[in-house]
Amino acid sequence: MTESSSTPGPHGLFVSFEGGDGAGKSTQARLLGDWLRSLGREVVLTREPGGTELGVELRSAVLHGDHVDARTEALIYATDRAHHVATVVRPALARGAVVVTDRYLDSSVAYQGSGRDLGADEVERLSLWAVDGLLPALTVLLDLDPVAGRARLTGEPDRLERAGDEFHRRTREAFLGRAAAEPGRWLVLDATRPVEELSLAIRERVEALVGTARSTAAGGAA
Ligand code: TMP
């Protein structure tokens, strides 16, 4: 069974950012966090892989290790996520914080399920098991042509960034397909739009959810 942070249980709000490399996820996550803090909310800005001490080690292994086969790769991301959710995300939601994560399980479904061809359904099942069903109330997809995304990157490409154009095209299509299938959870934005315009569009969508999360908390739901 899946759950989202807008249902009774956690009082906080869980938002994830998804998209290809170079799409501007971390910039938008930061801007959203700044705005929410200005409203007086506690915000936990985090990321996958690498949102915990153990996660930093797993991130280094999966992105900079030598050969890592596809199933091992999927399990490393799932391990990182299980620990991240158990030790950072759920405790923050239980305190009423807004958790904004740069990538979550939709990345595994897109990159490992479709990019690596392990199968979206199987990777989704693995990922949901790892987090005991926790889904974000909102997932923002910053959609960008992978070739344009690569041109925005600086520094040495990591193992995933080196996976090739076809891999990244499959990943992009997988994100778009998931968003189209579940429009209530997703907000799809063209990542080539100006930063400020994107930020406003994201705020508009989050504003309604922040209200919902507050009234749930005020209503004292279990
Ligand atoms: P980042 O550069 O956005 O921090 O993400 C690191 C890389 O890991 C990026 O290329 C996407 C990839 N990734 C997966 O393949 N599966 C996952 O589940 C996650 C979270 C990231």
Side-chain angles (χ1 to χ4, degrees):
M1 201 183 70
T2 61
E3 64 186 76
S4 91
S5 57
S6 60
T7 57
H11 297 149
L13 179 71
F14 188 22
V15 177
S16 62
F17 281 82
E18 297 286 5
D21 300 300
K25 295 180 298 303
S26 42
T27 300
Q28 289 301 332
R30 185 174 42 75
L31 290 172
L32 178 61
D34 291 347
W35 174 68
L36 287 162
R37 283 188 187 115
S38 77
L39 299 180
R41 294 294 302 242
E42 181 195 351
V43 176
V44 174
L45 269 185
T46 186
R47 71 166 175 177
E48 292 186 2
T52 61
E53 232 173 87
L54 173 61
V56 170
E57 292 184 30
L58 294 169
R59 179 182 176 93
S60 160
V62 76
L63 293 183
H64 305 293
D66 286 338
H67 180 71
V68 180
D69 92 292
R71 282 171 191 265
T72 309
E73 184 179 286
L75 288 165
I76 294 175
Y77 282 114
T79 304
D80 168 74
R81 183 163 304 122
H83 187 63
H84 183 221
V85 165
T87 63
V88 175
V89 178
R90 282 191 189 273
L93 292 174
R95 305 195 285 277
V98 182
V99 178
V100 179
T101 184
D102 183 343
R103 297 195 183 280
Y104 190 57
L105 58 70
D106 298 290
S107 275
S108 281
V109 180
Y111 282 81
Q112 281 66 55
S114 299
R116 295 287 188 223
D117 239 352
L118 287 175
D121 290 350
E122 276 197 61
V123 173
E124 181 171 39
R125 269 199 298 278
L126 168 73
S127 307
L128 284 170
W129 180 84
V131 299
D132 200 12
L134 183 70
L135 281 175
L138 174 67
T139 297
V140 179
L141 174 59
L142 295 174
D143 177 54
L144 184 64
D145 182 323
V147 176
R150 202 175 51 221
R152 290 180 176 193
L153 296 177
T154 52
E156 273 297 293
D158 62 41
R159 222 172 46 74
L160 272 289
E161 286 161 1
R162 291 195 303 268
D165 287 349
E166 201 37 56
F167 172 94
H168 288 287
R169 259 195 294 277
R170 283 200 298 278
T171 302
R172 181 191 192 190
E173 289 311 311
F175 277 131
L176 288 169
R178 284 178 73 70
E182 209 188 338
R185 174 163 72 93
W186 291 76
L187 170 65
V188 182
L189 296 170
D190 173 352
T192 62
R193 287 169 63 188
V195 170
E196 200 45 46
E197 230 180 270
L198 291 169
S199 166
L200 280 175
I202 294 164
R203 277 183 207 181
E204 248 175 52
R205 186 72 177 261
V206 171
E207 204 156 29
L209 293 170
V210 169
T212 310
R214 263 207 197 118
S215 56
T216 308

